[in-house]
Amino acid sequence: MSLIEVKDLCKDYVNDEIKTPVLHGLNFKIEKGEFVAIMGPSGSGKSTLMHILSFLDKLSTGEYLFNGRNVGELTDDELAEMRSNEVGFIFQAFNLLPRTSVMENVMLPLIYTGMKETERIEKAKKALISVGLGHRLDFFTNQLSGGEKQRVAIARALVNDPKVIFADEPTGNLDSKSGLAVMKILQNLNNGGHTIILVTHERYTADHAKRILRIKDGEIIADEKVENRIIAEHNDELVK
């Protein structure tokens, strides 16, 4: 059984009775442990697809199976539970709470789990150490560089032990060195067994993944293995 299976997925937006088709009959599978980049130009539908896959939006027609469950049949409460427990999010704009500490930001997804505070602290600390920020636990987010903010966002995405990590243009607001550090973390997480789905408009970023779904005008135009994958090395250099 595939972790993600999409069958004839379509998405339309309706505004004032005007229907705008965005996604047209998509079909693909993603297995557990894959690192997939969804790549396409602005307006191609890639972000809409990510929102559907991550339970932030609903499809119009077709089927979306997540770990065997038909997502289209889930209630809003069940979708909220899936967002909380099954997936983690990394956004281009970081989406960190201002004037709060790094630890508090990472602990945020755990607040409504019923977990004891000592356990929440321990899990957040472990996640931050895993992205190289064990020395920034008590810093406020406005004291961090852009690259450090994105690593906090990655730690927050990891803290619930999600089945899938969705990364939406995660290097878009970063310089090349900070962006490379983020891609190195994502590759290391994937090497450790995490499923990563990356959304990007840049071929360079997509080439860090193992597989690319290329989307244009709401249709998948290619589904290909990355032949010359870029590996983010420890010495901050690119190796092909």
Side-chain angles (χ1 to χ4, degrees), residues 85-231:
N85 298 327
E86 304 288 356
V87 300
F89 300 95
I90 304 166
F91 299 100
Q92 178 178 348
F94 318 131
N95 289 5
L96 301 179
L97 294 176
R99 298 181 298 279
T100 53
S101 72
V102 166
M103 278 287 288
E104 288 171 320
N105 270 276
V106 176
M107 288 169 61
L108 190 62
L110 303 175
I111 288 177
Y112 302 107
T113 62
M115 191 181 295
K116 293 181 180 178
E117 184 179 10
T118 53
E119 189 176 352
R120 295 202 306 268
I121 291 171
E122 189 60 33
K123 285 178 74 71
K125 188 180 296 185
K126 181 181 176 181
L128 283 161
I129 290 172
S130 75
V131 298
L133 287 178
H135 61 302
R136 293 283 193 261
L137 304 182
D138 297 322
F139 277 56
F140 288 91
T141 54
N142 62 349
Q143 296 176 296
L144 303 179
S145 68
E148 288 173 330
K149 288 178 181 177
Q150 193 59 292
R151 282 191 275 161
V152 173
I154 294 173
R156 184 183 57 193
L158 283 173
V159 77
N160 259 349
D161 300 318
K163 286 187 173 66
V164 184
I165 296 172
F166 289 94
D168 189 3
E169 302 280 7
T171 63
N173 284 339
L174 304 178
D175 59 48
S176 58
K177 184 175 181 180
S178 298
L180 182 64
V182 166
M183 295 312 299
K184 176 187 166 211
I185 291 170
L186 292 179
Q187 287 182 336
N188 287 343
L189 290 172
N190 179 244
N191 291 340
H194 285 86
T195 305
I196 311 288
I197 298 178
L198 166 75
V199 172
T200 183
H201 67 279
E202 297 178 338
R203 181 68 197 228
Y204 159 75
T205 302
D207 278 345
H208 286 80
K210 295 177 179 176
R211 172 186 169 197
I212 298 175
L213 287 174
R214 293 177 59 203
I215 188 169
K216 182 179 180 181
D217 298 330
E219 297 181 344
I220 292 175
I221 60 172
D223 182 351
E224 56 199 16
K225 180 181 178 182
V226 178
E227 296 295 341
N228 296 302
R229 190 184 184 207
I230 297 174
I231 302 298

Side-chain angles (χ1 to χ4, degrees), residues 1-8 26-32 34-36 38 49 53 63-65 195 197 211-213 220 223-224:
M1 179 177 63
S2 300
L3 179 61
I4 287 173
E5 184 172 1
V6 167
K7 302 178 182 179
D8 296 321
L26 307 189
N27 291 278
F28 61 86
K29 295 180 181 180
I30 295 176
E31 308 299 331
K32 182 179 179 183
E34 284 201 81
F35 189 160
V36 179
I38 300 174
L49 177 58
L53 296 180
E63 282 189 340
Y64 169 28
L65 303 177
T195 305
I197 298 178
R211 172 186 169 197
I212 298 175
L213 287 174
I220 292 175
D223 182 351
E224 56 199 16

